[in-house]
Amino acid sequence: MRLTKILKATISKDPSIEGSNEDSVVLRLRGDVQRAAVFDGASESFAARKWSRILADEWGRGSEVSPIWLENAQLRYKEQLSGLNLSWAQEAAMERGSFSTIASVEVRDRILDLCIVGDSSIFFIDSWGLKASYPFQSESQFTSAPTALSSREDFGRQNRDSLHSGRRKCPFVDAKGGRMVLLATDAVSCWLLSDDILLHLQRLHQLLSCKTSNEFRQLVIEERKTNAMKIDDSTIVLLGLD
Amino acid sequence: MYSAEIRRKQPTVYLFLVDQSGSMADMMTGSKKSKAQYVADVLNKTLWELVVRCTRDEGVRDYFDVGVIGYGGEGGATNGLTGALSNQWLNPISQVEKGTLRVEERQKMIDDGAGGVAPQAVKFQVWFDPVADGGTPMCGALAKASEVLADWCNTNPNSFPPTVIHITDGESTDGDPENIASMLQQISTNDGGVLLFNLHVSSAGGEPVRYPVSDSALPNEHAKLLFRMSSLFPEHVRKYAADAHGITLVAESRGMVFNAEAEELVKFLDIGSRPAAMR
C-alpha cells in the first residue's frame, strides 16, 4: 500500500495579509513509512501559526504521534518565545497558550494509522464517492470549540487523552484500486459534508476537479463569496492510495 | 442574523454606557466598594480581557472597536476614556492596549499551597476612573450612542452588529429613554440590529432578577422599562453563558439583570462581551 501525492493546496483566511495562514502541512512520501498531516492553528490562540508549524516540523522529522512528540514540540515552542520583548497584553495572552488540531495518516507495514484531534478531517474516497470520513459525518457536527492540542505543559493530561482517543486504524486497509485519502482543515471539511446530498456530491466533484493549488484557491474564494464556505484558513492534501 | 464572523477587516463594537450619577457613590451590594468603584474595576477588567483576547504573538489584532460613554454630572454624556483615547468615541482595540491611564498594583488572593490563601501583588491596568456626581441623563447617553453607532454601521455594513452594555443604578432624569433605546436597537448592519444589554446595580439588596423572559416577575415600572429596552441574546452568547457560567438562557431571555449584586455584574459583563467567532 502506497500513498501518492495528487494535490496539496492552501489558502489563508485573508490572502491580503501576509503570514496570516495558521495551517501547516507535512507530506513525507518517500521511504518505508509514508506520512501526511494537516494542522490547523486556532486563530483565537496566541501564536497559532508558530505552534502549528512546530507540531508539523516535529512530526515531519519522524516522531510518532505520542506524548513525547508533543512534549518536544512544547519545549521548542517555549524556547522560541522565551527572551522576546513582549507587551503586557502579549504576556497575558501567552499564558493562555496556543492550540492546534491535527489530522494525520501514516502507512507503515501495510497498516494505515490515523490520528485526529479536533475538526480537521480525513476522508476516504473512491470512484463512487465518499466512503468514510473522520471524525465527523455531517456539517452539523462541527462546533465553534473543537478539541485541540495545547502548547501549555499543564494541559498534559488533556493532550494525552486527545491523542489517545484520536488514534484509529483505517478500516479500508485491504481495499484495492482507485482510492483516495483527503486530509482537510475544518472549513473545507464542513463545506464538503453538506447535509444536502446533492450539494455534497457537487462539492466533492468540484474539489476533485481541482488539478492545481490555484484552482483550489479559486474554488474556495468563490464558495466564500456565497457564504457556502466559512472564511478561514483552508488546506487540503489529496493522496492516491494504491 | 448575528452570525457574521469577526475579522480584522470586519470588526465589531463593544460600547459601554456607564451611569456616573451621584447615587453611584453608595455602596455596592455584596462588595466593600462603592458602586462607582466596583463598576470601574469590573469595566477595567473587561477592557483588559477584550485586549488580551485580541492579542497574538505579532501584536494586537483589531477585531473590536471599543468605547465608553459615561453619563451624569454637569456634562451629560462624555467620553469615559481619557488621554489619546478621548479623541474618538470608538477606538480600535490596539489603541486601547496602548492607552492605559496607569497601571496599579493590586492584591489577589491565591492558594498558598498549605490549605490557605495568601495575597499576591498583580498589575492592574486602568483605563476608566470612578465618577459619581449629579443626575442620570440616560436619554442623552443613549442618543450619543445612537449617533456614534449609526456612523459606525454605515461604514461597516457587513460586520457583526455593535453590542452596547449599559450599567445604571437608577431612573433617567432627562426623560423617557424607551423610544431612544428602541431607535438605537434599530440601527443595524446587514447582520442584525444593535444589541442593547442593561444591568441595574443594586445598593438596596433586593432580590436580583436575571435574564427574564417576561416582565411579570419584575418589581416595578423602572425594571419593566429596562426589560423593554433590552435585546435578546444571540445563540453564541446563550451557549457561552451555559458553558462558562452554568446559566441557562432561552431564546426569549432578555439581556438584562435587575438589582444585580457584585458577582452578577462580573458575570453580566463577561457574558455580554462574548464575541462570535473571531478569524
Side-chain angles (χ1 to χ4, degrees):
Chain A
M1 187 162 49
R2 298 288 298 173
L3 295 172
T4 53
K5 177 186 162 189
I6 298 173
L7 181 64
K8 177 178 89 169
T10 188
I11 178 169
S12 155
K13 62 180 85 59
D14 188 344
S16 70
I17 300 177
E18 197 179 339
S20 63
N21 194 334
E22 290 154 341
D23 289 352
S24 297
V25 171
V26 174
L27 202 51
R28 301 278 186 275
L29 300 182
R30 291 178 185 164
D32 293 338
V33 179
Q34 295 183 292
R35 45 178 35 194
V38 294
F39 298 82
D40 181 352
S43 295
E44 296 195 25
S45 62
F46 177 63
R49 177 182 163 87
K50 193 181 293 298
W51 178 231
S52 83
R53 295 282 188 281
I54 290 171
L55 286 171
D57 285 351
E58 285 291 325
W59 193 69
R61 288 178 185 182
S63 306
E64 294 277 342
V65 173
S66 68
I68 293 171
W69 156 67
L70 202 53
E71 283 160 18
N72 287 337
Q74 286 171 334
L75 199 62
R76 270 186 67 192
Y77 174 86
K78 198 172 168 182
E79 283 168 2
Q80 289 195 15
L81 290 176
S82 67
L84 297 180
N85 186 20
L86 301 177
S87 70
W88 64 265
Q90 286 173 312
E91 282 182 6
M94 187 173 71
E95 283 181 18
R96 298 183 176 188
S98 298
F99 297 85
S100 175
T101 67
I102 175 177
S104 69
V105 58
E106 182 174 284
V107 179
R108 185 193 292 264
D109 299 331
R110 296 189 55 77
I111 293 173
L112 205 54
D113 241 335
L114 314 182
C115 181
I116 301 167
V117 177
D119 53 10
S120 291
S121 305
I122 300 179
F123 301 88
F124 289 90
I125 301 161
D126 70 8
S127 50
W128 294 96
L130 184 65
K131 303 309 291 181
S133 63
Y134 302 95
F136 302 139
Q137 289 75 49
S138 158
E139 62 183 323
S140 60
Q141 292 173 286
F142 288 81
T143 67
S144 57
T147 54
L149 298 173
S150 174
S151 64
R152 284 172 49 171
E153 289 163 2
D154 59 338
F155 272 51
R157 183 174 176 182
Q158 291 97 316
N159 281 337
R160 281 195 297 276
D161 288 350
S162 296
L163 285 177
H164 180 71
S165 60
R167 296 290 293 273
R168 60 197 77 183
K169 308 287 183 190
C170 173
F172 298 100
V173 66
D174 294 325
K176 291 176 185 173
R179 293 193 179 278
M180 289 178 280
V181 182
L182 172 69
L183 311 184
T185 51
D186 64 307
V188 178
S189 302
C190 183
W191 168 84
L192 190 57
L193 287 173
S194 171
D195 291 332
D196 179 330
I197 186 67
L198 291 177
L199 212 48
H200 159 70
L201 291 172
Q202 180 193 325
R203 289 174 177 177
L204 183 61
H205 175 74
Q206 285 177 294
L207 190 64
L208 297 181
S209 298
C210 294
K211 301 301 177 201
T212 66
S213 55
N214 195 43
E215 287 176 4
F216 170 75
R217 284 195 288 269
Q218 285 306 315
L219 172 63
V220 171
I221 288 168
E222 290 305 314
E223 294 302 284
R224 286 175 179 175
K225 280 181 189 167
T226 59
N227 293 323
M229 189 186 294
K230 75 173 177 179
I231 299 175
D232 196 3
D233 298 334
S234 297
T235 299
I236 60 162
V237 174
L238 183 61
L239 302 162
L241 178 59
D242 302 314
Chain B
M1 302 291 265
Y2 302 110
S3 59
E5 289 182 339
I6 299 167
R7 293 181 275 119
R8 281 166 276 188
K9 288 186 175 174
Q10 194 176 284
T12 191
V13 166
Y14 287 104
L15 178 59
F16 300 90
L17 302 190
V18 181
D19 182 346
Q20 297 177 315
S21 62
S23 58
M24 290 293 283
D26 298 342
M27 296 303 284
M28 176 89 191
T29 305
S31 163
K32 293 176 180 167
K33 297 175 180 174
S34 71
K35 286 183 280 188
Q37 180 65 60
Y38 195 83
V39 166
D41 282 354
V42 177
L43 179 56
N44 283 317
K45 184 70 180 170
T46 302
L47 294 172
W48 181 92
E49 175 64 32
L50 290 174
V51 169
V52 172
R53 217 180 282 161
C54 293
T55 300
R56 304 290 182 269
D57 53 344
E58 81 276 8
V60 181
R61 295 181 182 175
D62 282 325
Y63 290 121
F64 308 140
D65 290 333
V66 175
V68 179
I69 295 176
Y71 64 94
E74 299 294 316
T78 56
N79 196 327
L81 300 175
T82 54
L85 300 179
S86 66
N87 296 328
Q88 302 183 104
W89 290 99
L90 295 174
N91 288 278
I93 193 77
S94 60
Q95 296 306 308
V96 176
E97 189 247 0
K98 295 186 182 87
T100 45
L101 197 56
R102 63 184 177 279
V103 179
E104 294 181 359
E105 193 164 280
R106 301 269 181 107
Q107 299 291 320
K108 177 183 173 184
M109 302 308 283
I110 60 159
D111 184 349
D112 67 0
V117 289
Q120 182 191 43
V122 291
K123 290 196 166 86
F124 187 81
Q125 276 73 18
V126 175
W127 289 268
F128 177 80
D129 274 328
V131 176
D133 181 37
T136 310
M138 194 183 291
C139 293
L142 290 165
K144 175 50 75 179
S146 299
E147 180 191 321
V148 170
L149 296 180
D151 283 349
W152 189 91
C153 288
N154 280 338
T155 53
N156 296 273
N158 296 317
S159 284
F160 189 93
T163 301
V164 178
I165 298 179
H166 176 211
I167 302 165
T168 179
D169 77 333
E171 298 181 28
S172 171
T173 54
D174 64 346
D176 182 349
E178 186 168 359
N179 284 341
I180 304 172
S182 173
M183 283 167 54
L184 172 61
Q185 289 166 292
Q186 286 170 40
I187 296 166
S188 62
T189 67
N190 297 330
D191 195 44
V194 167
L195 294 166
L196 174 58
F197 302 141
N198 292 288
L199 181 119
H200 172 268
V201 289
S202 163
S203 55
E207 186 63 29
V209 181
R210 306 173 183 91
Y211 316 108
V213 296
S214 81
D215 64 1
S216 58
L218 295 172
N220 55 43
E221 279 309 309
H222 178 50
K224 290 179 182 182
L225 170 70
L226 285 181
F227 176 85
R228 293 192 298 274
M229 287 168 50
S230 300
S231 303
L232 302 172
F233 284 117
E235 188 181 359
H236 75 272
V237 178
R238 298 201 304 270
K239 185 173 185 314
Y240 176 76
D243 292 347
H245 297 287
I247 295 173
T248 303
L249 300 175
V250 296
E252 297 77 20
S253 300
R254 299 283 179 124
M256 169 199 170
V257 175
F258 194 78
N259 266 337
E261 297 178 357
E263 191 184 339
E264 206 72 51
L265 174 61
V266 176
K267 285 183 188 172
F268 186 84
L269 263 72
D270 185 49
I271 292 168
S273 62
R274 185 57 43 173
M278 289 156 53
R279 299 288 174 198

